[in-house]
């Protein structure tokens, strides 16, 4: 579904991503794990068109994404849930969700998407008229995920969904990621919580200093001694 080849991304003189290649098959959860500053967020932002690569290619369903705008990439079926959620404060939960459908004009379809996300996230239905800024951290993460699902993506890019959440919410978020996969959406999962990410990932890539240092299935990497030492506290 998505193929990233020899990707290089720079911030001025800083090379944040140095020759990274990986792929995602339809229906998979693929995790990118790695320490702070390894380049994970940079890769996600480049796939979603917010940053432009210096070198390499990103191919999604036979289309080259390199020269596409961020809205065109959303329209092609890729939605991003950014690190830190970026909820629109001052807007209600329902209004935040409607922002996720900004490219759609079919009101019946928007209403149908809204009912679907309310079914998946009942708490958001209960809070639909509440200012989104007053939601708890875990509820805001659910809102950010639900807002992305409003665009009916085929591929969901999740950047650090568990960051800053209490353990009970972390488990809930990972359960939701699995449910999203089961309902047919492919997922790229960026996580610092390597243990939980590898437990639900079909395959994963370990990034270190802007490069892929290891890749394998979730169970293979969970059992890998180097991964255990560096990322699993083992
Ligand atoms: P984290 O888990 O901490 O978010 P990450 O793996 O997502 O880390 P990135 O945010 O992609 O890493 O950062 C990769 C490198 O690029 C880091 O060295 C970072 O300091 C640098 N970087 C990120 N954003 C910018 C920017 N806007 N300007 C300059 N350097 C940046």
């Amino acid at each position: 579904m998505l193929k990233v080849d020899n990707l290089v991304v720079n911030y001025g003189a800083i090379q944040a991503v140095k020759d990274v290649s990986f792929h995602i098959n339809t229906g998979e959860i693929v995790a990118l794990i790695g320490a702070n500053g390894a380049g994970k967020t940079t890769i996600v932002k480049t796939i979603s068109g917010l940053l432009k690569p210096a070198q390499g290619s990103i191919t999604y369903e036979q289309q080259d994404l390199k020269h596409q705008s961020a809205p065109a990439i959303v329209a092609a079926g890729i939605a991003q849930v950014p690190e830190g959620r970026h909820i629109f404060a001052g807007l209600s939960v329902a209004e935040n969700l409607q922002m996720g459908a900004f490219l759609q004009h079919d009101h019946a379809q928007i209403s149908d998407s809204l009912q679907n996300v309310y079914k998946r996230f009942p708490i958001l239905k209960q809070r639909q008229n509440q200012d989104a800024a007053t939601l708890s951290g875990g509820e805001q993460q659910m809102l950010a995920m639900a807002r992305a699902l409003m665009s009916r993506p085929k591929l969901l890019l999740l950047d650090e969904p568990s960051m800053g959440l209490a353990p009970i919410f972390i488990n809930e978020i990972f359960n939701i990621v699995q449910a999203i996969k089961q309902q047919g959406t492919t997922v790229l999962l960026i996580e610092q919580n390597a243990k939980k990410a590898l437990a639900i990932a079909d395959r994963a890539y370990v990034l270190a200093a802007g490069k892929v240092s290891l890749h394998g299935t979730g169970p293979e990497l969970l059992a890998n001694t180097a991964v255990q030492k560096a990322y699993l506290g083992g």
Side-chain angles (χ1 to χ4, degrees):
M1 174 183 244
L2 185 92
K3 202 162 178 297
V4 172
D5 284 307
N6 306 111
L7 189 71
V8 177
V9 191
N10 301 327
Y11 296 103
I14 299 168
Q15 197 169 58
V17 174
K18 306 167 187 167
D19 196 15
V20 164
S21 301
F22 66 95
H23 70 276
I24 305 173
N25 299 314
T26 303
E28 284 186 313
I29 296 177
V30 171
L32 289 186
I33 62 168
N36 284 105
K40 305 179 299 294
T41 296
T42 304
I43 291 171
V44 170
K45 285 185 174 170
T46 310
I47 296 170
S48 57
L50 300 173
L51 294 171
K52 291 293 163 197
Q55 286 174 49
S57 63
I58 302 174
T59 314
Y60 166 72
E61 295 189 326
Q62 270 79 50
Q63 306 164 58
D64 177 5
L65 294 188
K66 202 156 129 179
H67 302 293
Q68 305 254 26
S69 68
I73 291 170
V74 175
I78 301 180
Q80 183 192 350
V81 182
E83 182 177 344
R85 355 266 195 226
H86 295 273
I87 292 307
F88 300 112
L91 296 186
S92 69
V93 167
E95 287 165 339
N96 267 268
L97 290 172
Q98 277 153 14
M99 299 292 264
F102 74 107
L103 288 173
Q104 290 165 40
H105 303 291
D106 179 339
H107 289 287
Q109 200 182 45
I110 295 172
S111 158
D112 186 51
S113 302
L114 195 60
Q115 292 323 309
N116 275 338
V117 300
Y118 281 153
K119 212 186 286 170
R120 194 173 294 159
F121 301 95
I123 187 77
L124 298 180
K125 186 171 187 188
Q126 282 173 33
R127 305 292 165 85
Q128 58 185 297
N129 297 317
Q130 186 172 323
D131 184 334
T134 63
L135 296 178
S136 75
E139 291 163 356
Q140 289 193 15
Q141 182 60 47
M142 289 184 203
L143 177 57
M145 289 165 75
R147 183 180 57 190
L149 291 172
M150 286 294 291
S151 70
R152 299 178 172 231
K154 293 187 233 169
L155 173 62
L156 188 66
L157 312 175
L158 283 171
D159 194 352
E160 305 272 9
S162 78
M163 189 157 61
L165 300 185
I168 186 168
F169 269 124
I170 294 181
N171 289 335
E172 197 168 347
I173 293 295
F174 279 93
N175 287 339
I176 291 168
V177 175
Q178 284 181 294
I180 288 172
K181 169 192 160 160
Q182 270 148 21
Q183 286 171 9
T185 305
T186 305
V187 176
L188 176 64
L189 174 64
I190 307 299
E191 262 298 335
Q192 296 252 352
N193 192 332
K195 200 171 187 173
K196 293 234 179 258
L198 293 176
I200 66 163
D202 294 294
R203 291 183 308 109
Y205 295 81
V206 180
L207 276 183
K211 290 190 173 175
V212 173
S213 61
L214 272 173
H215 65 98
T217 64
E220 278 166 2
L221 292 179
L222 274 174
N224 180 295
T225 319
V227 172
Q228 288 176 355
K229 265 198 187 140
Y231 305 105
L232 304 176

